Amino acid sequence: MHKDLESIVLTREQIAQKVKEAASWLDEKFKDSKPLAISVLKGSVFFFCDLLREMKTPVQLDFMTVSSYGSKAQSSGMPKIVMDLAASVEGRDVILVEDIVDSGHTLVRMRDLIMGRGAKSFTTVALFDKPSRRQVDIKADYSCFEIADEFIVGYGLDYAQQYRNLPYVGILKRSIYGNV
Ligand code: IMP
Ligand code: MG
């Protein structure tokens, strides 16, 4: 285990199992359509690749970089689009892939933006859900894991851009991020 972690909450194998289940759910839901999957970068990138590789449905991909944190452990409440999508979402069935739904601000921002651009439908899949931290009333259509109010890193999730490439997910020691 990485020295900055307090404990491991999910192993690589536990994640892989849930990712398969999420892919089956999407296959069932989109069996008659050609959805466009959007990865909210950077946090969802490992989840996005593993999820899409498990899907049987033909799917197109696009990416958007959204930043809500700066280098703090708390959302600014004003997610910023740092890099926009390459293609139009008009008339498309969109699958938005998120790492974690925390305050919910990012998801609201993405939904309003994508539906505002004329998408046909909007479905969200999140690896993690932290319901106790919600500030706005929104929920992913599918969440792989519900977690308590702990700051976690690994498998895409970062603190100050670090720890993203850990293959497991763990709780970051409080001494690393202090009283934020
Ligand atoms: P929201 O807009 O507050 O829902 O925040 C969503 C974003 O905050 C996620 O996409 C993550 O990038 C980040 N985030 C929230 N909780 C954590 C965490 O425990 N570890 C790492 N990043 C987190
Ligand atoms: Mg994110």
Side-chain angles (χ1 to χ4, degrees):
M1 180 175 82
H2 192 289
K3 63 172 177 36
D4 295 351
L5 298 185
E6 207 167 275
S7 61
I8 291 178
V9 282
L10 291 166
T11 64
R12 203 174 182 146
E13 293 72 26
Q14 287 170 318
I15 297 167
Q17 179 53 38
K18 280 283 184 187
V19 169
K20 271 192 190 159
E21 290 169 25
S24 305
W25 184 82
L26 286 170
D27 279 335
E28 180 58 30
K29 188 170 164 90
F30 292 100
K31 58 176 183 269
D32 301 318
S33 79
K34 288 200 179 75
L36 172 68
I38 297 175
S39 165
V40 183
L41 295 173
K42 301 184 273 280
S44 79
V45 70
F46 295 86
F47 175 44
F48 187 73
C49 295
D50 289 345
L51 180 68
L52 267 50
R53 238 187 320 229
E54 291 290 346
M55 283 177 71
K56 294 179 182 69
T57 309
V59 62
Q60 292 178 339
L61 337 182
D62 208 342
F63 300 91
M64 186 178 251
T65 307
V66 181
S67 163
S68 55
Y69 268 34
S71 62
K72 301 190 198 71
Q74 195 121 39
S75 167
S76 64
M78 283 289 281
K80 216 172 77 194
I81 310 295
V82 178
M83 183 191 77
D84 206 341
L85 301 168
S88 167
V89 295
E90 208 181 327
R92 302 300 306 269
D93 289 311
V94 169
I95 302 170
L96 190 84
V97 182
E98 255 287 23
D99 52 358
I100 180 165
V101 183
D102 187 41
S103 70
H105 289 296
T106 308
L107 202 51
V108 167
R109 178 103 166 78
M110 296 299 290
R111 181 195 60 197
D112 293 352
L113 190 98
I114 287 165
M115 291 314 285
R117 289 178 181 178
K120 186 170 143 206
S121 69
F122 181 75
T123 301
T124 50
V125 179
L127 183 59
F128 293 108
D129 183 16
K130 269 192 203 172
S132 65
R133 301 250 312 169
R134 206 71 92 248
Q135 290 174 10
V136 282
D137 185 22
I138 194 161
K139 205 172 185 297
D141 297 290
Y142 191 102
S143 309
C144 294
F145 301 99
E146 197 170 286
I147 50 158
D149 185 9
E150 301 278 9
F151 199 82
I152 54 173
V153 295
Y155 194 62
L157 292 161
D158 75 308
Y159 171 67
Q161 302 302 328
Q162 291 185 78
Y163 316 107
R164 290 195 196 273
N165 69 325
L166 295 175
Y168 47 81
V169 172
I171 298 175
L172 191 63
K173 282 183 183 163
R174 247 176 203 280
S175 58
I176 306 292
Y177 63 92
N179 298 314
V180 284

